[in-house]
């Protein structure tokens, strides 16, 4: 079962309830806010993070109303971070649709993002466990520090594989880890089991970001972001990091000099992309994901077979093989 829709189908009723909770929590007395929210929710994405919350709960026990409120909290905070990121990056489209800041303005977008954060905390409280509220609070700090660290590292061109993994651990894997914690606390799972599954999804989250970064090296309109967009924003990702560390790479000094520039022209971005691809950066990124998958599957091998367990392994396969 590697088809993402098949994975979703196993928890379709829980996802339906989740989306009802999200819509209800975002309801307000402001006509403009309701209009913006309604438009935004038409492009809610794959909802991978709340799916992980629900699968985690089913892995430990069974998803209940507390779990779904926790899942809603994670999804709302995640979307708040996307809304704020669009303002910072001056993004005009996301998932093929106009962003809030492009339709209205930055002021409105920041306030809408804040509204999502507030509702994330409300849903966390509705989970009935103060530990869930703490997870959401800590997650917000982790996402913020990850973004700031990324800006700082890009500014000083202090890019290496260690720093890269530190950044994506804070910006992406932290969300995945929080999903398991929220689910585990909501169903009163054992700390040892929460810790093990948290490590599994942390590896899943790292692979998710690596695959997302690979997309930047290929032109495909279905992906939803322009080729070379990361480099345009000063972000050097794993394929290029690997290529820049190959001592026998052709044109290495020239490419290192380009990677150190504060602003890159389109032709320079193309040169760096071609360099990373030619020197095996894409293959290295895939090899890294396969190693992460192997480590992750070993974590679950001693647990009994279940729909949740098989769904998690299938989700890992989907993350690595997905085309968008």
């Amino acid at each position: 079962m590697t088809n993402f829709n098949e994975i979703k189908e196993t928890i379709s009723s829980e996802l339906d309830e989740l989306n009802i909770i999200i819509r209800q929590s975002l309801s307000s007395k402001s006509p403009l806010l309701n209009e913006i929210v309604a438009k935004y929710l038409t492009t809610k994405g794959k909802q991978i993070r709340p799916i992980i919350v629900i699968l985690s709960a089913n892995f430990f026990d069974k998803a209940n109303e507390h779990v779904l409120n926790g899942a809603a909290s994670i999804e709302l905070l995640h979307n708040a971070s996307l809304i704020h990121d669009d303002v910072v990056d001056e993004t005009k489209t996301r998932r093929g649709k106009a962003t809030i800041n492009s339709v209205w303005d930055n002021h409105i977008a920041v306030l809408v993002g804040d509204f999502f954060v507030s509702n994330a905390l409300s849903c966390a409280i509705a989970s009935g466990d103060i530990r869930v509220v703490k997870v959401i609070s800590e997650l917000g700090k982790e996402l913020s520090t990850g973004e700031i660290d990324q800006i700082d590292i890009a500014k000083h061109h202090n890019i290496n594989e260690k720093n890269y993994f530190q950044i994506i651990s804070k910006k992406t894997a932290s969300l995945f880890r929080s999903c398991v914690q929220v689910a585990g606390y909501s169903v009163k799972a054992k700390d040892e089991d929460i810790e093990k599954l948290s490590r599994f999804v942390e590896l899943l989250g790292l692979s998710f970001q690596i695959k997302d970064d690979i997309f930047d090296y290929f032109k495909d309109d279905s992906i939803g972001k322009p080729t070379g967009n990361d480099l345009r924003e000063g972000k050097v990702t794993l394929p290029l990091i690997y290529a820049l560390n190959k001592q026998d790479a052709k044109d290495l000094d020239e490419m290192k000099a380009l990677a150190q520039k504060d602003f890159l022209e389109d032709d320079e971005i193309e040169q760096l992309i071609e360099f990373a691809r030619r020197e095996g950066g894409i293959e290295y990124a895939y090899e890294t994901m396969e190693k992460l998958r192997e480590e992750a599957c070993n974590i679950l091998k001693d647990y009994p077979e279940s729909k949740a367990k098989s769904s998690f392994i299938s989700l890992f396969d989907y993350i690595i093989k997905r085309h968008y």
Side-chain angles (χ1 to χ4, degrees):
M1 182 176 61
T2 58
N3 185 292
F4 184 62
N5 289 328
E6 291 179 19
I7 297 171
K8 289 177 67 176
E9 186 61 32
T10 65
I11 54 171
S12 59
S13 61
E14 290 96 331
L15 285 173
D16 288 342
E17 291 180 49
L18 166 77
N19 285 307
I20 290 172
I21 291 171
I22 290 175
R23 286 197 300 271
Q24 289 177 341
S25 71
L26 291 172
S27 179
S28 75
K29 295 181 180 179
S30 167
L32 175 58
L33 186 54
N34 287 337
E35 178 188 351
I36 295 170
V37 166
K39 183 177 177 66
Y40 185 84
L41 291 180
T42 62
T43 58
K44 60 179 179 292
K46 302 182 189 69
Q47 296 192 313
I48 286 177
R49 292 150 194 87
I51 286 172
I52 291 174
V53 177
I54 295 168
L55 289 178
S56 298
N58 289 341
F59 182 85
F60 297 131
D61 186 4
K62 182 173 174 56
N64 53 38
E65 185 179 355
H66 294 314
V67 170
L68 297 180
N69 276 293
S73 181
I74 291 278
E75 183 71 349
L76 288 167
L77 185 60
H78 168 58
N79 279 276
S81 72
L82 297 181
I83 294 168
H84 286 155
D85 282 351
D86 288 341
V87 173
V88 172
D89 298 334
E90 299 181 356
T91 306
K92 300 304 179 185
T93 61
R94 181 178 289 277
R95 301 165 186 151
K97 303 284 186 174
T99 56
I100 294 174
N101 52 294
S102 67
V103 175
W104 285 274
D105 58 31
N106 285 345
H107 187 189
I108 291 291
V110 169
L111 293 173
V112 173
D114 293 345
F115 180 69
F116 272 63
V117 171
S118 299
N119 283 288
L121 291 171
S122 294
C123 287
I125 292 170
S127 72
D129 194 315
I130 192 63
R131 293 176 297 177
V132 172
V133 180
K134 184 178 180 181
V135 168
I136 297 301
S137 173
E138 292 296 325
L139 175 59
K141 290 191 285 186
E142 192 84 342
L143 294 174
S144 299
T145 56
E147 186 69 31
I148 291 172
D149 287 349
Q150 183 175 59
I151 293 169
D152 185 49
I153 287 171
K155 179 181 178 181
H156 294 94
H157 304 289
N158 188 22
I159 292 294
N160 53 53
E161 194 165 321
K162 179 182 177 182
N163 285 342
Y164 170 77
F165 275 101
Q166 286 179 344
I167 289 171
I168 68 173
S169 178
K170 287 183 178 180
K171 289 194 62 181
T172 304
S174 62
L175 262 165
F176 286 62
R177 288 194 303 268
S178 298
C179 290
V180 174
Q181 293 169 336
V182 164
Y185 295 150
S186 297
V187 298
K188 315 302 181 188
K190 295 178 180 178
D191 290 343
E192 179 185 356
D193 291 332
I194 294 174
E195 185 177 341
K196 286 183 178 179
L197 191 59
S198 292
R199 177 57 180 166
F200 176 93
V201 299
E202 178 181 22
L203 298 166
L204 176 67
L206 294 174
S207 295
F208 181 91
Q209 189 58 57
I210 292 170
K211 185 58 185 280
D212 210 45
D213 291 340
I214 289 173
F215 290 143
D216 203 52
Y217 294 81
F218 298 92
K219 182 174 178 56
D220 188 339
D221 294 335
S222 68
I223 293 171
K225 71 174 185 178
T227 307
N229 199 52
D230 288 336
L231 284 170
R232 204 167 280 110
E233 295 176 359
K235 303 170 186 174
V236 178
T237 53
L238 189 60
L240 182 55
I241 291 171
Y242 171 78
L244 290 172
N245 280 283
K246 280 189 71 178
Q247 296 306 312
D248 61 345
K250 183 181 178 182
D251 304 322
L252 180 60
D253 290 340
E254 180 185 349
M255 293 301 105
K256 281 186 174 180
L258 277 185
Q260 291 290 318
K261 290 184 66 174
D262 290 330
F263 300 101
L264 291 166
E265 301 293 339
D266 286 347
D267 65 318
E268 293 173 328
I269 290 173
E270 287 299 323
Q271 288 179 59
L272 286 169
I273 288 174
E274 177 56 31
F275 171 72
R277 293 171 62 176
R278 186 184 73 227
E279 296 299 333
I282 305 301
E283 289 81 2
Y284 177 75
Y286 273 104
E287 289 170 8
T288 301
M289 287 190 290
E290 288 295 343
K291 289 178 181 177
L292 295 174
R293 181 193 180 279
E294 182 179 359
E295 180 184 342
C297 289
N298 282 334
I299 293 171
L300 298 189
K301 68 179 182 180
D302 292 332
Y303 284 95
E305 295 303 317
S306 66
K307 283 185 179 179
K309 178 180 174 179
S310 62
S311 291
F312 268 128
I313 294 172
S314 294
L315 185 59
F316 216 125
D317 292 333
Y318 164 76
I319 291 301
I320 294 175
K321 296 175 183 177
R322 67 194 171 105
H323 298 295
Y324 60 94

